[in-house]
Amino acid sequence: MSFYLRTVTPDGYEHNRAIGKNYSYVNRETQYDEFCKAYEAAFGITHVADLDETSDRFSKKCQGIVVYNDGSELVPLYKDHCNYIMTENGKTFTNLTYK
């Protein structure tokens, strides 16, 4: 089975990305240490706390990161987007939308 990441932005833009047969989801709230490593790999900077003066919309709104392609591809997910992992036949496998 192959998986796809479907993201819907607040303005209704939909994006589908093939992520293959295996993926991991690193959650900011429950896996913070792993999230910080993935965030640095994705953005090239260290994640900072929301109240830090260097915090920006990316650090504040990033809820987690999908990792696929044996760890070489990282996709940040944002709190104001709807995010779903879909199966190849279009069914929702998991809902990663921030709650």
Side-chain angles (χ1 to χ4, degrees):
M1 175 178 348
S2 292
F3 295 104
Y4 296 83
L5 172 62
R6 175 174 290 161
T7 299
V8 182
T9 64
D11 59 359
Y13 174 76
E14 294 183 28
H15 179 77
N16 296 299
R17 178 188 311 247
I19 58 174
K21 295 180 185 284
N22 299 297
Y23 73 92
S24 297
Y25 174 64
V26 183
N27 185 295
R28 174 183 177 164
E29 294 178 0
T30 60
Q31 302 165 293
Y32 190 69
D33 291 341
E34 287 300 312
F35 171 80
C36 287
K37 291 175 190 173
Y39 185 92
E40 187 168 357
F43 290 101
I45 57 173
T46 303
H47 184 262
V48 295
D50 290 349
L51 297 178
D52 188 291
E53 64 184 33
T54 62
S55 184
D56 59 17
R57 68 183 178 94
F58 297 108
S59 60
K60 290 178 184 178
K61 291 189 176 193
C62 187
Q63 73 175 49
I65 298 175
V66 172
V67 181
Y68 66 100
N69 201 13
D70 294 325
S72 66
E73 301 285 337
L74 297 99
V75 180
L77 302 184
Y78 296 99
K79 293 178 181 178
D80 59 346
H81 295 177
C82 295
N83 301 290
Y84 309 94
I85 300 294
M86 311 296 291
T87 62
E88 56 199 4
N89 64 3
K91 292 188 178 189
T92 300
F93 182 74
T94 190
N95 183 344
L96 297 175
T97 301
Y98 183 76
K99 298 170 184 107

